Every structure is written in C-alpha cells, then in structure tokens.
Amino acid sequence: MRSAKLLLKDKRESLPMQPGQPERVDYTFESAGMRKLFLACEPLAGKRFVKVTERRTSEDWAHFVREIVDVHSPDAEKIVLVMDNLNTHTPSSLYSTFTPSEALRLLKKLEIHYTPVHGSWLNMAEIELSALARQCLSRRIGTQKELEREVLTWQQNRNEEAITVNWRFTTADARIKLKRLYPSLEKKKPSTSKKTIAKED
C-alpha cells in the first residue's frame, strides 16, 4: 500500500520547554514538498516495512517489491502479495524497470491478488497505514531525512512488539457484504408470471 506525507518546515524556531512553561511552536510554516510512503505488512508475523520515496512511479513500486523479496523475505518460497488496483501495481512495472530475467525471478516468488475496485479497505496494510498516520505522522516533519528516521523508529518499535492485525472480517461476512462480486451458482428460473396488457380498439 502507499500513502503520502506533506513536509512542513517551521519558519521560526520553537522556544524550548522550560520549568513551568511548555514548548512553544509558531503557527507559521512553509511547505517542503510531498513524500510518498510504501508500506507492506506481514500480518500473522506482526511485521511491517515502510519506504519513503520522492515519487510514486512504477519504478518506485518495482524497487519496493524487490526489497520485499530480497531483503525482508529472502527465504520465502512464495510471497502472497495483496494490493489495490493502482495502475502501477502490475507485473509490467517489473519488466519496465528490470531486465526480463530479473522481473521473471521476482514474479516467480510472488502470488499476486488484487482487492476489488473500491475495496482497498480489505487490504490489511490499510490498518497499518492508519496506525502510522496516528502514531507517527500527525505532526510537522520538515525534511525527508527526519521523516525516514521517524518512520524507521516507528517500524522497529512496532516490529519488536510483534503487533498483529486482529482481522474480524470472515469469509461468511464477505459473501454477504460483497455478494455482488461473487458468482451465482444457482440457475435462474424462467419467469412464469402472466402479464395483462390493456389494449384499446
């Protein structure tokens, strides 16, 4: 999954905390650009991985996927990758970024599943992005270096605690809420109702 963070620099230095006086931060700030956040989580193991980038292109996504495969899960035989339907989240992004042999190597390690259109909330990484936004990003951060440091600290602390996702949305719930997305196995019965048509002479 991906998100974004607007970097905001203080125009004036804040006044440090003193006895009987809290830290004072000026309300004025200036924008320092937008940074993108790629996040992958392994819900059963209680692990998550976050990468900060300047852009959100197909190449950025491809490099993040290779990092998941080679750095975070080098011993995995198969990685089940659940993603939303963003146009950069495709195997073709791997082929346009890496050599054909490298792209094929990565794809052989992946089993890709896409959430339904307008159903990205089914991706557990959304829960982790929400936690990241609340616990780490809900304040001013002025530089990419500072953002990377804060995100890495959040990631390490959360991974050390091995916080898992308590997913309560069952298959039975899905078949009710997402009924229109599931194929019907019942044959449609022909209509036997009679229609009365009024005819004027």
Side-chain angles (χ1 to χ4, degrees):
M1 291 300 295
R2 72 279 180 273
S3 185
K5 171 65 176 176
L6 178 62
L7 299 180
L8 299 175
K9 287 184 178 180
D10 293 322
K11 285 189 175 181
R12 298 175 181 154
E13 290 187 13
S14 58
L15 299 178
M17 181 172 53
Q18 297 177 356
Q21 181 68 56
E23 179 186 18
R24 285 172 285 180
V25 180
D26 193 83
Y27 66 92
T28 59
F29 58 85
E30 60 182 345
S31 173
M34 189 74 74
R35 293 298 180 270
K36 311 303 178 182
L37 300 166
F38 286 90
L39 184 146
C41 72
E42 193 177 344
L44 298 180
K47 295 180 181 178
R48 66 280 304 145
F49 317 107
V50 189
K51 186 177 183 67
V52 178
T53 63
E54 293 187 9
R55 305 171 304 163
R56 191 179 62 195
T57 66
S58 59
E59 288 186 10
D60 295 305
W61 176 81
H63 283 287
F64 182 58
V65 168
R66 184 161 70 172
E67 188 173 318
I68 291 173
V69 172
D70 292 341
V71 178
H72 302 302
S73 308
D75 300 323
E77 293 182 7
K78 186 70 70 173
I79 299 170
V80 179
L81 192 59
V82 180
M83 302 178 292
D84 59 15
N85 288 275
L86 194 67
N87 61 353
T88 57
H89 294 175
T90 62
S92 61
S93 295
L94 296 175
Y95 280 98
S96 63
T97 302
F98 306 119
T99 62
S101 59
E102 176 67 356
L104 182 60
R105 180 186 72 85
L106 295 171
L107 283 173
K108 284 183 176 179
K109 296 271 286 188
L110 301 175
E111 180 183 320
I112 298 177
H113 297 270
Y114 294 100
T115 57
V117 177
H118 307 303
S120 63
W121 55 273
L122 289 167
N123 191 336
M124 296 182 191
E126 290 279 4
I127 297 172
E128 289 297 322
L129 283 174
S130 177
L132 174 63
R134 293 192 319 270
Q135 300 171 0
C136 181
L137 305 180
S138 59
R139 57 189 177 81
R140 289 184 201 171
I141 297 178
T143 65
Q144 179 169 332
K145 187 175 181 180
E146 181 185 359
L147 177 60
E148 290 173 343
R149 183 178 65 249
E150 294 294 326
V151 165
L152 179 60
T153 300
W154 175 86
Q155 172 186 300
Q156 290 175 339
N157 290 341
R158 201 163 169 85
N159 285 348
E160 286 174 4
E161 295 179 26
I163 297 174
T164 58
V165 175
N166 185 9
W167 188 250
R168 300 182 182 183
F169 195 72
T170 64
T171 303
D173 294 331
R175 293 193 180 279
I176 295 172
K177 191 172 183 68
L178 306 174
K179 183 178 180 180
R180 60 185 177 81
L181 300 175
Y182 285 87
S184 176
L185 301 179
E186 297 179 1
K187 291 183 179 179
K188 291 185 178 180
K189 296 180 180 180
S191 177
T192 57
S193 60
K194 296 181 178 180
K195 294 183 179 180
T196 302
I197 300 176
K199 184 179 179 182
E200 293 183 4
D201 294 330

